[in-house]
């Protein structure tokens, strides 16, 4: 259903809590009208387990997806369709005019020069062939129902014709339900916004499973704030739904037009008005909102910048079972999100760290930053836990972010601090070399820890030129010298989890049984992911899930053997094997015996009849000769 959410009186309005607007330098990160963009996530859905419903995901999308030309009034995008998909967009808004039994792509009355087949479906097919782990949600709207021309069939019949041209492209499901990602990988999921035809799944306006905010009319610049409030209210509903709507698909349009061009609503106007995109990026980047609002739903945007796309995709990262799977996407988004920081080096370091602490709280985060662009007066050397990035220089600032396995160091502080103080400083070297030198010394002396160091020249202008925020709870030691300050900290390595499949299990053919892995544990206290191999054949029968129990294990025939449970904390994994015996259902043995006796009698009867017919067959064969 299309919703126009009322103000949530019991909850504080989001826009009143946002961080200060991002600096002007961040303009290319929340707004992008160019034909290229500084981000790339062509297969980010690969690290999301199959069982997640599309309603659980945060999905970047575009309003009037194909409107990348035509002037300031119709234009809503800078990127082509393929460029949008490669950047990470997974929800499309396709508006078609029915003419000459074809779909011409329009924005209102303006023909955009594209057609549904070769310019939309063919591009989607090529993209999904290249990236089969992905899915595309597509709203298909009859844009000009009162201006159809030269047709011999209905809009729905022409849509059926297009489906016949691309028989393997569309998700085929007439049920009114939100599919799981595993069901629709490599497919286009159409939300049909037209009348007629058979049921195609979910209807844009009529389905009770779609919760849509599309308050699009913005007459003037002072109404941009009101438009953002509609977006913010729907984000609130997405994360705090009404009873019964918890599993619905929430779709939220940040776009607007009317008295203003779409570019002004999205990007602001004349450097005096904040646009909706900037409000939204502040929301995505604000540390408290990352944890309080863990998903965005489907966001349909005009001119989305790199950081907007990245910030939405980032909300899905807690679903990844293996940390290594998100490493490349993390690097890109970390760089783009740093453009959202503002203020001095201390403020930027705090903002940057708070974002990652909110995004992935089960990790342990380190950030250090510098305001000495291009200088060798400071340097660093660190060991990360698979996620890390050195950012671009933004307003003369750059930062390094990386995760650690733990927030503990079992080596007593006084021991390694004294060791650090006693080591000689290298002569005539720069900050990076100095930092690497001291990290190597610590790693050699205490190899069971994971060490990081930062070295800063005493000739640096002031303490305001750098900041260090190590993992909360880890002690940081430093040594002073006439030439360099050296900071060091270390953490314990990751400990492998312990899998416990419980068991042995006994069940009955055809009756669901529960497998319980809740006795598994992680020595570092992290939550685990679980998956099961129910028949010990070496193939995993379930995808990774946070739930330790499998309540629907069903065996269709007797089985005596083993089953396996694998658990992971994101870095290391463990497997446990236990026995399982599946017995026939009651009465099966008797039925089997009865069936065997009946079969014996039938065989005897057949032999008797064959024997009695032998003379006739001899006579028949004789007459034939």
């Amino acid at each position: 259903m299309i919703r126009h959410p009322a103000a949530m009186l019991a909850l504080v309005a989001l826009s009143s809590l946002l961080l200060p607007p991002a600096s002007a330098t961040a303009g290319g990160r929340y707004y992008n009208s160019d034909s290229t963009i500084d981000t790339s996530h062509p297969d980010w859905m690969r690290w999301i387990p199959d069982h997640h419903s599309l309603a659980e995901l945060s999905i970047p999308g575009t309003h009037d997806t194909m409107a990348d030309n035509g002037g300031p009034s119709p234009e809503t995008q800078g990127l082509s369709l393929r460029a949008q998909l490669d950047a990470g967009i997974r929800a499309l808004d396709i508006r078609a005019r029915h003419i000459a039994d074809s779909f011409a792509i329009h924005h209102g009355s303006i023909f955009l020069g594209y057609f549904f087949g070769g310019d939309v479906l063919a591009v989607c097919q090529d993209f999904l062939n290249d990236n089969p782990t992905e899915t595309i949600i597509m709203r298909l709207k009859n844009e000009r129902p009162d201006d159809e021309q030269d047709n011999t069939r209905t809009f729905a019949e022409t849509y059926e014709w297009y489906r016949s041209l691309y028989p393997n492209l569309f998700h085929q499901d007439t049920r009114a339900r939100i599919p799981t990602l595993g069901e629709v990988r490599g497919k286009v999921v159409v939300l049909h916004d037209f009348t007629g035809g058979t049921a195609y799944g979910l209807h844009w306006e009529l389905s009770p499973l779609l919760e849509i905010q599309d308050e699009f009319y913005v007459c003037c610049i002072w109404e941009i704030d009101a438009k953002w409030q509609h977006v913010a209210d729907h984000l609130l509903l997405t994360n705090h739904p009404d009873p019964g709507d918890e599993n619905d698909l929430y779709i939220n349009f940040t776009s607007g037009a009317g008295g203003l061009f779409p570019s002004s609503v999205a990007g602001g106007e004349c450097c005096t008005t904040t646009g909706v995109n900037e409000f939204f990026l502040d929301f995505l980047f604000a540390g408290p909102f990352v944890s309080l609002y863990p998903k965005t739903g489907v966001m349909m945007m005009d001119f989305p910048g790199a950081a907007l796309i990245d910030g939405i995709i980032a909300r899905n990262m807690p679903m990844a079972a293996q940390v290594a799977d998100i490493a490349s996407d993390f690097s890109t988004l970390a760089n783009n999100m740093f453009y959202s920081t503002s203020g001095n080096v201390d403020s930027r370091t705090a903002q940057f760290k708070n974002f990652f602490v909110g995004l992935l709280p089960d990790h342990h985060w380190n950030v250090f930053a510098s305001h000495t662009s291009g200088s060798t007066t400071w340097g660093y050397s660190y060991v990360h836990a698979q996620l890390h990035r050195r950012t671009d220089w933004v307003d003369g600032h750059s930062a390094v972010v990386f995760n650690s396995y733990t927030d503990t160091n079992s080596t007593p502080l006084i021991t390694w601090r004294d060791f650090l103080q006693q080591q000689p400083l290298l002569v005539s070297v720069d900050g990076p070399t100095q930092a690497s030198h001291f990290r190597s010394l610590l790693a050699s002396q205490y190899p069971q820890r994971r060490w990081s160091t930062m070295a800063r020249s005493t000739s640096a202008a002031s303490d305001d030129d750098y900041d260090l925020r190590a993992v909360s709870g880890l002690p940081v030691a430093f040594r002073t010298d006439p030439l360099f300050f050296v900071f060091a900290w270390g953490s314990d390595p990751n400990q492998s989890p312990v899998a416990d499949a419980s068991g042995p299990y006994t069940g009955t053919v055809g009756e669901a049984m529960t497998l319980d892995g809740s006795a598994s544990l992680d020595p570092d206290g992290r939550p685990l992911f679980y998956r099961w191999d129910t028949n010990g054949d070496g193939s995993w029968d379930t995808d990774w899930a946070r739930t330790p129990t499998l309540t629907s294990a069903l065996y269709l025939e007797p089985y005596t053997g083993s089953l396996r449970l694998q658990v992971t904390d994101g870095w290391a994994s463990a497997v446990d094997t236990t026995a399982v015996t599946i017995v026939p259902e009651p009465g099966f043995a008797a039925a089997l015996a009865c069936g065997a006796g009946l079969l014996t009698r039938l065989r005897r009867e057949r032999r008797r009849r064959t024997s009695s017919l032998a003379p006739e067959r001899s006579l028949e064969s004789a007459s034939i000769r």
Side-chain angles (χ1 to χ4, degrees):
M1 69 185 75
I2 298 179
R3 304 186 63 155
H4 309 296
M8 296 295 174
L9 299 179
L11 297 170
V12 181
L14 295 178
S15 57
S16 66
L17 295 177
L18 295 176
L19 289 176
S23 65
T25 306
R29 305 302 173 174
Y30 62 77
Y31 178 88
N32 183 71
S33 59
D34 296 335
S35 59
T36 59
I37 193 168
D38 294 319
T39 194
S40 178
H41 303 283
D43 57 352
W44 62 265
M45 288 179 164
R46 71 188 185 281
W47 35 260
I48 300 178
D50 284 346
H51 69 271
H52 286 286
S53 164
L54 296 186
E56 298 178 63
L57 308 187
S58 296
I59 300 176
T62 48
H63 157 254
D64 253 307
T65 299
M66 303 299 292
D68 61 359
N69 66 84
S73 179
E75 283 185 26
T76 61
Q77 309 300 328
L79 299 176
S80 67
L81 175 56
R82 179 60 193 247
Q84 292 179 39
L85 294 170
D86 286 337
I89 296 297
R90 293 295 177 270
L92 311 180
D93 180 20
I94 304 299
R95 318 285 183 100
R97 180 191 178 196
H98 195 201
I99 182 169
D101 289 335
S102 298
F103 289 165
I105 305 303
H106 272 240
H107 184 172
S109 61
I110 299 175
F111 173 51
L112 298 172
Y114 300 120
F115 288 91
F116 189 55
D119 299 311
V120 178
L121 297 184
V123 173
C124 291
Q125 181 75 82
D126 288 344
F127 173 78
L128 291 172
N129 285 343
D130 294 340
N131 303 281
T133 61
E134 309 304 287
T135 188
I136 298 170
I137 298 174
M138 180 188 293
R139 176 219 191 165
L140 177 59
K141 180 185 179 183
N142 186 350
E143 182 77 337
R144 307 281 292 171
D146 299 326
D147 191 23
E148 298 184 351
Q149 293 183 9
D150 302 325
N151 296 305
T152 62
R153 55 194 179 200
T154 66
F155 190 99
E157 289 171 338
T158 296
Y159 171 59
E160 290 282 1
W161 175 71
Y162 278 113
R163 286 168 66 104
S164 70
L165 297 179
Y166 297 85
N168 299 317
L169 179 59
F170 295 93
H171 173 57
Q172 307 278 1
D173 192 346
T174 60
R175 296 171 292 177
R177 56 186 290 271
I178 308 295
T180 66
L181 179 58
E183 293 172 330
V184 296
R185 292 192 194 272
K187 302 292 184 181
V188 171
V189 180
V190 171
L191 309 178
H192 58 288
D193 192 3
F194 54 87
T195 59
T198 60
Y200 302 117
L202 299 173
H203 191 281
W204 184 261
E205 292 189 350
L206 302 180
S207 174
L209 300 180
L210 300 182
E211 309 289 349
I212 303 169
Q213 179 282 124
D214 189 14
E215 291 281 1
F216 65 87
Y217 187 75
V218 182
C219 74
C220 43
I221 59 174
W222 52 84
E223 285 196 356
I224 293 178
D225 287 3
K227 170 60 188 181
W228 163 243
Q229 191 60 58
H230 288 303
V231 176
D233 287 343
H234 207 62
L235 286 165
L236 191 63
L237 283 173
T238 302
N239 290 276
H240 304 279
D242 295 334
D245 295 341
E246 295 86 356
N247 299 317
D248 290 358
L249 182 65
Y250 283 77
I251 302 173
N252 200 347
F253 282 80
T254 66
S255 54
L260 295 178
F261 292 135
S263 57
S264 297
V265 177
E269 192 171 76
C270 302
C271 302
T272 60
T273 305
T274 301
V276 174
N277 286 16
E278 187 173 355
F279 280 131
F280 186 29
L281 181 54
D282 287 340
F283 166 86
L284 290 173
F285 184 65
F289 291 115
V290 180
S291 55
L292 293 174
Y293 295 83
K295 72 174 182 178
T296 66
V298 180
M299 302 301 303
M300 308 297 281
M301 302 172 287
D302 285 347
F303 302 107
L308 273 188
I309 296 172
D310 290 359
I312 296 169
I313 293 172
R315 287 298 209 273
N316 300 292
M317 286 187 169
M319 299 180 188
Q322 303 290 343
V323 176
D325 291 344
I326 64 174
S328 61
D329 292 297
F330 174 89
S331 177
T332 301
L333 78 90
N335 187 61
N336 282 325
M337 297 310 285
F338 187 67
Y339 281 79
S340 299
T341 62
S342 58
N344 61 22
V345 67
D346 292 349
S347 178
R348 291 173 186 268
T349 307
Q351 294 166 28
F352 205 40
K353 182 176 179 181
N354 288 340
F355 170 74
F356 294 107
V357 169
L359 178 67
L360 294 168
D362 297 328
H363 296 236
H364 304 285
W365 293 101
N366 309 266
V367 174
F368 39 87
S370 172
H371 190 39
T372 54
S373 177
S375 174
T376 60
T377 59
W378 77 292
Y380 54 85
S381 183
Y382 61 88
V383 176
H384 60 81
Q386 299 183 341
L387 301 180
H388 67 114
R389 175 66 194 232
R390 166 73 183 267
T391 73
D392 295 341
W393 288 96
V394 180
D395 291 339
H397 296 82
S398 181
V400 174
V401 57
F402 63 98
N403 62 341
S404 296
Y405 290 113
T406 65
D407 60 356
T408 59
N409 185 344
S410 298
T411 302
L413 171 61
I414 189 172
T415 302
W416 61 270
R417 182 181 62 192
D418 290 349
F419 172 81
L420 182 69
Q421 295 285 3
Q422 295 165 6
Q423 304 311 304
L425 194 73
L426 295 179
V427 180
S428 300
V429 299
D430 58 15
T433 305
Q434 211 68 259
S436 179
H437 166 66
F438 280 97
R439 194 192 71 79
S440 296
L441 290 174
L442 286 165
S444 177
Q445 183 70 15
Y446 307 103
Q448 66 274 35
R449 308 291 165 249
R450 303 296 179 261
W451 296 100
S452 299
T453 54
M454 185 179 80
R456 170 188 174 260
S457 171
T458 56
S459 64
S462 70
D463 289 344
D464 294 335
D465 286 337
Y466 72 98
D467 188 30
L468 164 64
R469 308 227 172 184
V471 171
S472 299
L474 283 182
V476 178
F478 68 94
R479 73 184 303 277
T480 59
D481 185 274
L483 297 178
F484 276 93
F485 297 110
V486 178
F487 301 83
W489 65 103
S491 62
D492 294 327
N494 182 55
Q495 299 181 77
S496 297
V498 178
D500 189 337
S502 299
Y505 293 95
T506 301
T508 303
V509 170
E511 295 182 4
M513 60 186 296
T514 297
L515 308 180
D516 187 2
S518 59
S520 304
L521 60 90
D522 183 71
D524 297 317
R526 291 191 184 89
L528 296 173
F529 285 87
Y530 307 79
R531 63 179 179 178
W532 297 87
D533 169 13
T534 57
N535 59 4
D537 64 354
S539 299
W540 299 106
D541 300 308
T542 68
D543 207 346
W544 290 112
R546 287 288 193 186
T547 307
T549 55
L550 178 62
T551 59
S552 58
L554 186 66
Y555 293 81
L556 300 180
E557 59 185 25
Y559 173 68
T560 299
S562 63
L563 61 78
R564 299 186 304 152
L565 166 68
Q566 185 178 32
V567 300
T568 182
D569 61 1
W571 291 278
S573 63
V575 175
D576 186 36
T577 301
T578 189
V580 59
T581 301
I582 304 300
V583 300
E585 59 184 327
F588 180 84
L592 185 62
C594 178
L598 178 61
L599 182 61
T600 298
R601 290 196 298 272
L602 288 174
R603 286 173 175 168
R604 289 174 179 171
E605 176 64 19
R606 186 175 62 184
R607 285 197 296 270
R608 183 189 63 79
R609 294 182 61 199
T610 301
S611 175
S612 64
L613 291 174
E616 296 180 12
R617 288 180 175 171
S618 300
L619 180 61
E620 181 181 16
S621 57
S623 61
I624 291 174
R625 288 197 299 269

